[in-house]
Amino acid sequence: MKPLSRWFRDTSQDLGLRLIAALGLLLYLVFIVVPVLMSLRSSFTDENPLKAGSSWIGLANYSEMLHDDQLRSSVAFTLLLALGVTVVSNVLGLAFALLLDRSTLGYRVLRTIAFLPQVVSGVIVGFVWKTILTQDGLLNSVLKSLHVVHDPVDWLGKPHLAQFSVGVVVAWVLSGFTTVVYLAALQNIPRELYDAGAIDGAGTVQQFRMITWRMVAPATTISVTISLITVLKLYDVIQVLTSGGPANATQSTAQYIVKMAFTNDRFGYASSIAMFLLALSAVIALSVTGILRRREVDL
Protein backbone atom coordinates (compact mmCIF):
# COMPACT_ATOMS: atom_id res chain seq x y z
CA MET A 1 0.00 0.00 0.00
CA LYS A 2 1.32 3.45 -0.94
CA PRO A 3 2.20 5.93 1.81
CA LEU A 4 -0.31 8.76 2.05
CA SER A 5 2.26 11.42 1.06
CA ARG A 6 3.20 9.48 -2.09
CA TRP A 7 -0.47 9.00 -2.97
CA PHE A 8 -1.09 12.75 -2.78
CA ARG A 9 2.05 13.43 -4.84
CA ASP A 10 1.02 10.98 -7.58
CA THR A 11 -2.51 12.39 -7.57
CA SER A 12 -1.22 15.96 -7.96
CA GLN A 13 1.07 14.88 -10.81
CA ASP A 14 -1.82 13.15 -12.61
CA LEU A 15 -3.99 16.22 -12.12
CA GLY A 16 -1.27 18.48 -13.51
CA LEU A 17 -0.83 16.27 -16.60
CA ARG A 18 -4.59 16.20 -17.13
CA LEU A 19 -4.80 19.98 -16.90
CA ILE A 20 -1.97 20.38 -19.44
CA ALA A 21 -3.63 17.85 -21.76
CA ALA A 22 -6.97 19.63 -21.40
CA LEU A 23 -5.36 23.00 -22.16
CA GLY A 24 -3.64 21.58 -25.22
CA LEU A 25 -6.89 20.06 -26.45
CA LEU A 26 -8.74 23.34 -25.86
CA LEU A 27 -6.15 25.33 -27.82
CA TYR A 28 -6.30 22.77 -30.64
CA LEU A 29 -10.07 23.03 -30.81
CA VAL A 30 -10.09 26.84 -30.71
CA PHE A 31 -7.28 27.51 -33.18
CA ILE A 32 -7.49 24.48 -35.51
CA VAL A 33 -10.82 22.66 -35.44
CA VAL A 34 -13.13 25.66 -35.11
CA PRO A 35 -11.48 27.69 -37.95
CA VAL A 36 -11.57 24.64 -40.23
CA LEU A 37 -15.27 24.11 -39.53
CA MET A 38 -15.98 27.81 -40.09
CA SER A 39 -14.07 27.68 -43.38
CA LEU A 40 -15.98 24.54 -44.38
CA ARG A 41 -19.29 26.30 -43.75
CA SER A 42 -18.12 29.38 -45.64
CA SER A 43 -17.20 27.22 -48.65
CA PHE A 44 -20.90 26.55 -49.26
CA THR A 45 -21.78 30.28 -49.29
CA ASP A 46 -21.08 33.36 -51.40
CA GLU A 47 -19.52 35.14 -48.41
CA ASN A 48 -18.08 38.52 -49.33
CA PRO A 49 -16.78 41.14 -46.85
CA LEU A 50 -18.38 43.87 -48.96
CA LYS A 51 -21.84 42.35 -48.52
CA ALA A 52 -23.90 42.55 -45.33
CA GLY A 53 -24.80 38.86 -45.41
CA SER A 54 -24.07 35.67 -47.27
CA SER A 55 -26.32 33.21 -49.08
CA TRP A 56 -26.13 29.42 -49.11
CA ILE A 57 -25.13 28.32 -52.62
CA GLY A 58 -24.38 24.65 -52.01
CA LEU A 59 -21.68 23.13 -54.23
CA ALA A 60 -21.47 26.10 -56.62
CA ASN A 61 -17.99 27.10 -55.43
CA TYR A 62 -16.69 23.55 -55.82
CA SER A 63 -18.25 23.34 -59.27
CA GLU A 64 -16.51 26.59 -60.27
CA MET A 65 -13.18 25.15 -59.16
CA LEU A 66 -13.42 22.51 -61.90
CA HIS A 67 -13.33 25.23 -64.57
CA ASP A 68 -10.78 27.57 -62.94
CA ASP A 69 -7.64 27.59 -65.12
CA GLN A 70 -5.63 29.68 -62.64
CA LEU A 71 -6.43 27.26 -59.86
CA ARG A 72 -5.44 24.33 -62.05
CA SER A 73 -2.09 25.90 -62.92
CA SER A 74 -1.39 26.84 -59.30
CA VAL A 75 -2.12 23.29 -58.12
CA ALA A 76 0.10 21.86 -60.86
CA PHE A 77 2.97 24.18 -59.89
CA THR A 78 2.49 23.43 -56.18
CA LEU A 79 2.57 19.67 -56.74
CA LEU A 80 5.62 19.91 -59.00
CA LEU A 81 7.38 22.15 -56.48
CA ALA A 82 6.50 19.81 -53.59
CA LEU A 83 7.87 16.79 -55.43
CA GLY A 84 11.10 18.44 -56.58
CA VAL A 85 11.85 20.23 -53.32
CA THR A 86 11.12 17.16 -51.20
CA VAL A 87 13.53 15.01 -53.20
CA VAL A 88 16.30 17.61 -53.36
CA SER A 89 16.04 18.78 -49.74
CA ASN A 90 16.08 15.22 -48.41
CA VAL A 91 19.05 14.20 -50.54
CA LEU A 92 20.93 17.32 -49.42
CA GLY A 93 19.85 16.82 -45.81
CA LEU A 94 21.15 13.26 -45.71
CA ALA A 95 24.41 14.27 -47.45
CA PHE A 96 24.99 17.17 -45.03
CA ALA A 97 24.14 14.95 -42.06
CA LEU A 98 26.72 12.36 -43.16
CA LEU A 99 29.34 15.10 -43.46
CA LEU A 100 28.47 16.68 -40.09
CA ASP A 101 28.19 13.46 -38.09
CA ARG A 102 31.27 14.30 -36.02
CA SER A 103 31.67 15.28 -32.36
CA THR A 104 34.33 17.99 -32.59
CA LEU A 105 33.58 21.65 -31.81
CA GLY A 106 34.03 22.74 -35.42
CA TYR A 107 31.41 20.31 -36.66
CA ARG A 108 29.00 21.36 -33.90
CA VAL A 109 29.33 24.95 -35.16
CA LEU A 110 28.71 23.79 -38.72
CA ARG A 111 25.55 21.98 -37.58
CA THR A 112 24.21 25.25 -36.18
CA ILE A 113 25.00 27.03 -39.45
CA ALA A 114 23.31 24.25 -41.43
CA PHE A 115 20.09 24.74 -39.44
CA LEU A 116 20.01 28.53 -39.92
CA PRO A 117 17.91 28.46 -43.14
CA GLN A 118 15.08 26.85 -41.16
CA VAL A 119 15.30 29.38 -38.33
CA VAL A 120 15.27 32.53 -40.45
CA SER A 121 11.84 33.98 -41.29
CA GLY A 122 10.50 33.10 -44.72
CA VAL A 123 9.99 36.80 -45.46
CA ILE A 124 13.65 37.53 -44.76
CA VAL A 125 14.72 34.54 -46.85
CA GLY A 126 12.62 35.83 -49.74
CA PHE A 127 14.08 39.35 -49.56
CA VAL A 128 17.68 38.09 -49.36
CA TRP A 129 17.34 35.68 -52.26
CA LYS A 130 15.43 38.23 -54.33
CA THR A 131 18.42 40.57 -53.95
CA ILE A 132 20.78 37.77 -54.97
CA LEU A 133 18.74 36.69 -58.00
CA THR A 134 17.99 40.09 -59.56
CA GLN A 135 19.66 40.88 -62.87
CA ASP A 136 22.27 43.07 -61.17
CA GLY A 137 22.45 40.82 -58.10
CA LEU A 138 25.25 38.80 -56.57
CA LEU A 139 24.67 35.60 -58.55
CA ASN A 140 24.88 37.27 -61.96
CA SER A 141 27.92 39.26 -60.85
CA VAL A 142 29.73 36.06 -59.86
CA LEU A 143 28.72 34.26 -63.06
CA LYS A 144 29.88 37.17 -65.19
CA SER A 145 33.20 37.46 -63.33
CA LEU A 146 33.81 33.74 -63.94
CA HIS A 147 32.84 34.22 -67.61
CA VAL A 148 30.07 31.63 -67.30
CA VAL A 149 27.56 34.07 -68.82
CA HIS A 150 28.02 37.24 -70.84
CA ASP A 151 24.63 38.85 -70.21
CA PRO A 152 22.74 38.90 -66.89
CA VAL A 153 20.31 36.00 -66.47
CA ASP A 154 16.75 37.01 -65.65
CA TRP A 155 16.26 34.41 -62.93
CA LEU A 156 12.95 35.79 -61.70
CA GLY A 157 11.60 37.31 -64.92
CA LYS A 158 11.13 34.23 -67.11
CA PRO A 159 8.54 31.59 -66.15
CA HIS A 160 10.70 28.46 -66.22
CA LEU A 161 13.72 30.15 -64.67
CA ALA A 162 11.51 31.67 -61.98
CA GLN A 163 10.03 28.25 -61.16
CA PHE A 164 13.53 26.77 -60.98
CA SER A 165 14.74 29.63 -58.77
CA VAL A 166 11.81 29.23 -56.37
CA GLY A 167 12.54 25.51 -56.15
CA VAL A 168 16.20 26.14 -55.33
CA VAL A 169 15.37 28.66 -52.60
CA VAL A 170 12.71 26.49 -50.96
CA ALA A 171 14.96 23.42 -51.10
CA TRP A 172 17.73 25.46 -49.45
CA VAL A 173 15.37 26.47 -46.66
CA LEU A 174 14.11 22.94 -46.03
CA SER A 175 17.60 21.43 -46.15
CA GLY A 176 18.23 22.87 -42.68
CA PHE A 177 15.33 20.89 -41.25
CA THR A 178 16.12 17.66 -43.09
CA THR A 179 19.78 17.85 -42.05
CA VAL A 180 18.85 17.98 -38.36
CA VAL A 181 16.37 15.10 -38.71
CA TYR A 182 18.87 12.83 -40.46
CA LEU A 183 21.69 13.88 -38.13
CA ALA A 184 19.62 12.85 -35.10
CA ALA A 185 18.93 9.49 -36.76
CA LEU A 186 22.61 8.93 -37.58
CA GLN A 187 23.67 9.63 -34.02
CA ASN A 188 21.30 6.93 -32.78
CA ILE A 189 22.88 4.22 -34.94
CA PRO A 190 25.06 1.92 -32.80
CA ARG A 191 28.72 2.21 -33.87
CA GLU A 192 29.10 -1.52 -33.29
CA LEU A 193 27.16 -2.12 -36.51
CA TYR A 194 29.79 -0.28 -38.55
CA ASP A 195 32.60 -2.08 -36.72
CA ALA A 196 30.99 -5.43 -37.47
CA GLY A 197 30.50 -4.43 -41.09
CA ALA A 198 34.14 -3.42 -41.42
CA ILE A 199 35.25 -6.76 -39.96
CA ASP A 200 33.07 -8.56 -42.51
CA GLY A 201 34.81 -6.61 -45.27
CA ALA A 202 32.01 -4.12 -46.10
CA GLY A 203 33.23 -0.94 -47.75
CA THR A 204 31.87 2.57 -47.30
CA VAL A 205 29.19 2.18 -49.97
CA GLN A 206 28.10 -1.21 -48.64
CA GLN A 207 27.93 0.12 -45.08
CA PHE A 208 25.76 3.01 -46.24
CA ARG A 209 23.41 0.72 -48.19
CA MET A 210 23.15 -2.06 -45.62
CA ILE A 211 23.34 -0.08 -42.36
CA THR A 212 22.85 3.67 -42.71
CA TRP A 213 20.07 3.62 -45.30
CA ARG A 214 18.10 1.04 -43.34
CA MET A 215 18.56 2.68 -39.94
CA VAL A 216 17.47 6.15 -41.11
CA ALA A 217 14.22 4.83 -42.61
CA PRO A 218 12.00 6.22 -39.78
CA ALA A 219 13.73 9.61 -40.11
CA THR A 220 13.08 9.51 -43.86
CA THR A 221 9.37 8.99 -43.23
CA ILE A 222 9.22 12.01 -40.93
CA SER A 223 11.38 14.23 -43.10
CA VAL A 224 9.64 13.46 -46.40
CA THR A 225 6.13 13.83 -44.97
CA ILE A 226 6.82 17.15 -43.25
CA SER A 227 8.67 18.47 -46.32
CA LEU A 228 5.68 17.68 -48.54
CA ILE A 229 3.18 19.30 -46.18
CA THR A 230 5.38 22.38 -45.78
CA VAL A 231 5.66 22.98 -49.53
CA LEU A 232 2.00 22.26 -50.25
CA LYS A 233 0.95 25.15 -47.99
CA LEU A 234 3.88 27.43 -48.83
CA TYR A 235 3.12 31.14 -49.14
CA ASP A 236 5.58 33.60 -47.59
CA VAL A 237 8.83 32.77 -49.43
CA ILE A 238 7.19 32.74 -52.87
CA GLN A 239 5.14 35.86 -52.18
CA VAL A 240 8.23 37.89 -51.34
CA LEU A 241 10.43 36.31 -54.00
CA THR A 242 8.18 36.49 -57.08
CA SER A 243 4.65 37.46 -55.91
CA GLY A 244 3.49 34.49 -57.97
CA GLY A 245 4.87 35.86 -61.23
CA PRO A 246 5.80 36.13 -63.96
CA ALA A 247 2.38 35.52 -65.53
CA ASN A 248 1.32 33.46 -62.47
CA ALA A 249 4.01 30.88 -63.27
CA THR A 250 5.09 30.59 -59.63
CA GLN A 251 1.71 31.13 -58.00
CA SER A 252 1.16 28.51 -55.31
CA THR A 253 -2.28 27.30 -54.26
CA ALA A 254 -1.93 29.11 -50.93
CA GLN A 255 -1.21 32.36 -52.78
CA TYR A 256 -4.25 31.86 -54.95
CA ILE A 257 -6.41 31.36 -51.85
CA VAL A 258 -5.15 34.63 -50.36
CA LYS A 259 -5.68 36.38 -53.70
CA MET A 260 -9.28 35.21 -53.94
CA ALA A 261 -10.03 36.14 -50.32
CA PHE A 262 -8.31 39.50 -49.90
CA THR A 263 -7.91 40.85 -53.44
CA ASN A 264 -11.11 39.61 -55.07
CA ASP A 265 -13.10 39.62 -51.78
CA ARG A 266 -14.47 36.14 -52.44
CA PHE A 267 -14.23 34.54 -49.02
CA GLY A 268 -16.61 31.72 -49.89
CA TYR A 269 -14.71 30.64 -52.99
CA ALA A 270 -11.38 30.99 -51.19
CA SER A 271 -12.69 28.75 -48.42
CA SER A 272 -13.67 26.07 -50.92
CA ILE A 273 -10.14 26.10 -52.37
CA ALA A 274 -8.73 25.93 -48.85
CA MET A 275 -10.86 22.86 -48.14
CA PHE A 276 -9.61 21.29 -51.36
CA LEU A 277 -5.99 22.02 -50.40
CA LEU A 278 -6.56 20.56 -46.95
CA ALA A 279 -8.02 17.37 -48.40
CA LEU A 280 -5.25 17.12 -51.01
CA SER A 281 -2.53 17.58 -48.39
CA ALA A 282 -4.13 14.99 -46.12
CA VAL A 283 -4.42 12.41 -48.90
CA ILE A 284 -0.82 12.93 -50.05
CA ALA A 285 0.58 12.93 -46.50
CA LEU A 286 -1.32 9.76 -45.50
CA SER A 287 -0.40 7.97 -48.74
CA VAL A 288 3.28 8.84 -48.53
CA THR A 289 3.42 7.97 -44.82
CA GLY A 290 1.79 4.59 -45.48
CA ILE A 291 4.22 3.78 -48.29
CA LEU A 292 7.26 4.78 -46.26
CA ARG A 293 6.02 2.90 -43.19
CA ARG A 294 5.77 -0.27 -45.27
CA ARG A 295 9.30 0.41 -46.50
CA GLU A 296 10.52 0.55 -42.90
CA VAL A 297 9.03 -2.91 -42.29
CA ASP A 298 10.49 -4.33 -45.50
CA LEU A 299 13.96 -3.07 -44.63
Side-chain angles (χ1 to χ4, degrees), residues 92-204:
L92 288 177
L94 181 56
F96 290 156
L98 290 170
L99 292 174
L100 298 175
D101 189 20
R102 307 290 188 276
S103 58
T104 60
L105 177 60
Y107 281 101
R108 289 200 294 269
V109 174
L110 290 176
R111 290 177 202 167
T112 303
I113 295 174
F115 189 61
L116 283 179
Q118 189 66 30
V119 176
V120 178
S121 165
V123 175
I124 296 175
V125 169
F127 274 120
V128 171
W129 275 97
K130 187 172 184 178
T131 303
I132 294 173
L133 294 173
T134 54
Q135 287 189 304
D136 57 349
L138 178 62
L139 180 58
N140 279 326
S141 299
V142 172
L143 293 177
K144 288 176 65 177
S145 65
L146 296 175
H147 303 290
V148 177
V149 298
H150 298 289
D151 299 319
V153 179
D154 194 3
W155 295 103
L156 302 177
K158 296 181 179 179
H160 293 300
L161 281 178
Q163 291 174 342
F164 173 77
S165 300
V166 168
V168 169
V169 173
V170 178
W172 176 79
V173 172
L174 276 178
S175 65
F177 167 77
T178 57
T179 298
V180 172
V181 172
Y182 285 116
L183 189 57
L186 290 176
Q187 292 178 342
N188 286 325
I189 300 177
R191 295 300 165 186
E192 293 81 3
L193 294 177
Y194 293 104
D195 295 336
I199 293 173
D200 291 338
T204 303

Side-chain angles (χ1 to χ4, degrees), residues 48-299:
N48 187 317
L50 302 180
K51 294 169 56 178
S54 58
S55 303
W56 185 269
I57 59 174
L59 297 175
N61 286 327
Y62 292 95
S63 176
E64 182 179 349
M65 288 169 53
L66 299 175
H67 309 286
D68 192 335
D69 292 335
Q70 278 198 49
L71 173 61
R72 191 178 298 112
S73 64
S74 69
V75 171
F77 169 70
T78 301
L79 292 175
L80 180 63
L81 183 68
L83 176 62
V85 166
T86 298
V87 172
V88 172
S89 63
N90 278 272
V91 171
L92 288 177
L94 181 56
F96 290 156
L98 290 170
L99 292 174
L100 298 175
D101 189 20
R102 307 290 188 276
S103 58
T104 60
L105 177 60
Y107 281 101
R108 289 200 294 269
V109 174
L110 290 176
R111 290 177 202 167
T112 303
I113 295 174
F115 189 61
L116 283 179
Q118 189 66 30
V119 176
V120 178
S121 165
V123 175
I124 296 175
V125 169
F127 274 120
V128 171
W129 275 97
K130 187 172 184 178
T131 303
I132 294 173
L133 294 173
T134 54
Q135 287 189 304
D136 57 349
L138 178 62
L139 180 58
N140 279 326
S141 299
V142 172
L143 293 177
K144 288 176 65 177
S145 65
L146 296 175
H147 303 290
V148 177
V149 298
H150 298 289
D151 299 319
V153 179
D154 194 3
W155 295 103
L156 302 177
K158 296 181 179 179
H160 293 300
L161 281 178
Q163 291 174 342
F164 173 77
S165 300
V166 168
V168 169
V169 173
V170 178
W172 176 79
V173 172
L174 276 178
S175 65
F177 167 77
T178 57
T179 298
V180 172
V181 172
Y182 285 116
L183 189 57
L186 290 176
Q187 292 178 342
N188 286 325
I189 300 177
R191 295 300 165 186
E192 293 81 3
L193 294 177
Y194 293 104
D195 295 336
I199 293 173
D200 291 338
T204 303
V205 176
Q206 288 177 314
Q207 288 186 9
F208 174 81
R209 184 168 60 87
M210 301 303 297
I211 300 174
T212 306
W213 182 240
R214 294 169 182 264
M215 296 300 288
V216 300
T220 303
T221 301
I222 296 171
S223 183
V224 168
T225 303
I226 294 180
S227 298
L228 280 171
I229 294 173
T230 300
V231 180
L232 287 173
K233 64 183 181 62
L234 191 64
Y235 173 80
D236 51 359
V237 175
I238 303 177
Q239 180 62 29
V240 176
L241 194 61
T242 64
S243 298
N248 296 324
T250 62
Q251 180 175 251
S252 68
T253 308
Q255 285 179 290
Y256 190 60
I257 292 172
V258 173
K259 177 182 176 181
M260 286 292 105
F262 299 105
T263 301
N264 297 353
D265 297 316
R266 299 189 61 191
F267 280 14
Y269 186 54
S271 295
S272 65
I273 302 174
M275 290 298 100
F276 165 74
L277 181 60
L278 176 62
L280 178 65
S281 301
V283 169
I284 292 176
L286 291 174
S287 301
V288 171
T289 301
I291 293 171
L292 294 178
R293 288 293 186 189
R294 286 196 294 272
R295 169 181 171 269
E296 293 177 27
V297 175
D298 294 337
L299 289 177

